[in-house]
Amino acid sequence: LVEQAGANVDAKDNRGKTPLDLAREKKHSDIVQFLEERVRRLRQASNAQQEQYQQQQELLRQQQEDLERQRREFENQRQQELLRRQQELERQRQQKLETQRQQELERELIQQQRLKEMSLSSVCPVFLSHTGADPDAATFAAILGGKLQDKYGIDSFLDSKTLDAGDIWRHEIETHAKGCKVFVAILSEHYFERFWCLHELDLAFRNNCIVIPVYFVDPNPSGDKKEIHKVEIPKATNTEFADKLGRMLAEKQLEEDSSVVLRRWCTNMTALDTIQGMRNYSNHKHWMNDFCNQVAEEVHNQLLEEH
């Protein structure tokens, strides 16, 4: 019976009896004692295995909990680090924006102060050179002077507006032409035929003023966006024009040698031709007002760059 039972004390026969049950029926006390001891030992071993298994499971569970806790802690740290970086980037962005605002405010205050200082000067910072022989150009000059004053607070010299009765007009014109920061030459059809236009231009070049050529022509009423005719700067090699200027200078009876003045004028026109001028290509009914706005903005920008 013991041999048949082997290590499996729970084995049963066809009646469902275990070895221990059969030993008790037969009253084999030594076998009962042996089997009971074996069952006890097997139960202890089984309980020990079960306890060991439970301990392993508990250890595994704790390890999983530790891993999960570490994962959560790492995730929290990562989220906090990301949040900290985002906050730092936002702080830097705000600081940069604030610095830019401060710099823009400082620049604006400096620009306003400089424009104010220029307006307080006895010499206008901008000189508008034109000829009254072209009435539309004179109108353009008057509108441009108003734009500079109204939009930017910039005073400009315009002989028909600036000179008062009793002024020594020649002295005033020369003073403002020499002392201005920006010289706007409104180049119209008869500009280069007028002594005072060329004389003003000469004073501006000789005193290192910023010269802005403005090519003034009426737009084509047919709707073509090109000009009716181009205002061209006479070439120094044009002997016919040079002779005409020579006769003009001879009539003025200047204190300075007229040939010297003539050479300087020709040099000025050559230099003027190399400067990027401003032209109007619009032909709608408000073209003059829009063109004045463009020129006024360019004058304002040039003044700011000058300072």
Side-chain angles (χ1 to χ4, degrees):
L1 180 64
V2 173
E3 290 176 357
Q4 289 180 358
N8 186 4
V9 296
D10 291 328
K12 296 180 180 180
D13 60 6
N14 56 1
R15 295 180 301 160
K17 299 291 184 176
T18 65
L20 183 58
D21 294 334
L22 296 175
R24 286 171 178 166
E25 286 180 357
K26 300 296 183 177
K27 297 181 180 181
H28 296 303
S29 58
D30 55 343
I31 296 178
V32 169
Q33 183 179 0
F34 170 79
L35 291 178
E36 285 179 345
E37 178 63 19
R38 184 170 181 80
V39 169
R40 184 183 65 79
R41 290 180 179 179
L42 290 176
R43 293 287 183 267
Q44 287 178 347
S46 176
N47 291 337
Q49 291 178 352
Q50 182 69 22
E51 183 177 356
Q52 184 180 6
Y53 173 77
Q54 290 177 351
Q55 289 176 352
Q56 291 175 348
Q57 291 295 317
E58 179 65 19
L59 179 61
L60 180 61
R61 184 185 63 79
Q62 290 178 356
Q63 290 175 346
Q64 290 176 342
E65 289 180 353
D66 290 341
L67 289 175
E68 179 64 21
R69 179 179 54 78
Q70 292 175 0
R71 187 191 66 79
R72 288 196 301 267
E73 290 177 354
F74 176 78
E75 183 66 21
N76 290 335
Q77 291 176 356
R78 191 178 69 86
Q79 291 294 337
Q80 290 176 359
E81 180 64 19
L82 288 176
L83 180 61
R84 188 189 65 78
R85 290 182 181 179
Q86 291 175 351
Q87 291 174 344
E88 178 64 19
L89 289 175
E90 179 64 19
R91 186 189 65 79
Q92 293 177 357
R93 189 182 72 84
Q94 292 295 336
Q95 186 177 10
K96 184 177 180 180
L97 289 175
E98 182 63 25
T99 301
Q100 290 176 347
R101 284 194 292 266
Q102 289 293 337
Q103 291 174 346
E104 290 174 0
L105 180 60
E106 291 175 0
R107 283 196 297 267
E108 185 177 351
L109 291 175
I110 292 173
Q111 292 171 4
Q112 291 176 355
Q113 181 64 27
R114 287 172 176 169
L115 291 176
K116 183 178 180 180
E117 291 173 357
M118 286 189 293
S119 66
L120 294 176
S121 173
S122 59
V123 177
C124 295
V126 180
F127 190 100
L128 304 180
S129 176
H130 72 286
T131 173
D134 297 317
D136 288 341
T139 301
F140 179 86
I143 297 175
L144 177 58
K147 296 286 186 185
L148 289 170
Q149 181 61 50
D150 296 340
K151 293 186 68 175
Y152 304 106
I154 299 174
D155 292 334
S156 58
F157 181 88
L158 183 62
D159 54 6
S160 60
K161 299 289 185 181
T162 308
L163 294 176
D164 297 325
D167 284 344
I168 304 176
W169 61 271
R170 181 187 182 102
H171 172 73
E172 287 294 314
I173 290 176
E174 291 179 342
T175 299
H176 285 277
K178 290 187 293 185
C180 69
K181 301 294 183 183
V182 176
F183 183 91
V184 181
I186 303 175
L187 308 181
S188 56
E189 184 177 357
H190 299 96
Y191 184 88
F192 295 102
E193 300 173 2
R194 294 297 183 267
F195 169 82
W196 273 103
C197 291
L198 298 176
H199 181 54
E200 294 162 359
L201 183 63
D202 182 47
L203 292 173
F205 272 118
R206 290 168 65 187
N207 288 277
N208 297 319
C209 301
I210 298 173
V211 178
I212 301 178
V214 176
Y215 294 84
F216 180 87
V217 291
D218 290 333
N220 191 336
S222 67
D224 188 357
K225 292 187 178 181
K226 296 181 179 179
E227 303 158 350
I228 293 178
H229 66 276
K230 292 185 178 296
V231 175
E232 295 183 355
I233 299 174
K235 303 296 183 182
T237 55
N238 188 336
T239 56
E240 181 180 353
F241 179 74
D243 291 341
K244 186 176 180 180
L245 291 183
R247 292 192 296 270
M248 179 196 301
L249 290 171
E251 293 174 359
K252 293 297 179 181
Q253 299 180 351
L254 303 175
E255 296 180 0
E256 190 177 4
D257 186 347
S258 60
S259 63
V260 175
V261 177
L262 178 59
R263 285 196 299 272
R264 198 164 60 235
W265 282 9
C266 292
T267 302
N268 292 340
M269 284 183 282
T270 301
L272 188 67
D273 199 25
T274 63
I275 301 174
Q276 181 67 37
M278 301 189 69
R279 299 177 184 270
N280 169 62
Y281 294 98
S282 176
N283 62 350
H284 60 77
K285 62 180 181 179
H286 300 299
W287 71 269
M288 188 177 292
N289 183 71
D290 292 347
F291 193 30
C292 279
N293 284 329
Q294 296 173 19
V295 177
E297 182 179 3
E298 177 63 19
V299 171
H300 175 251
N301 293 336
Q302 290 290 346
L303 280 174
L304 296 181
E305 290 180 8
E306 172 68 12
H307 287 277

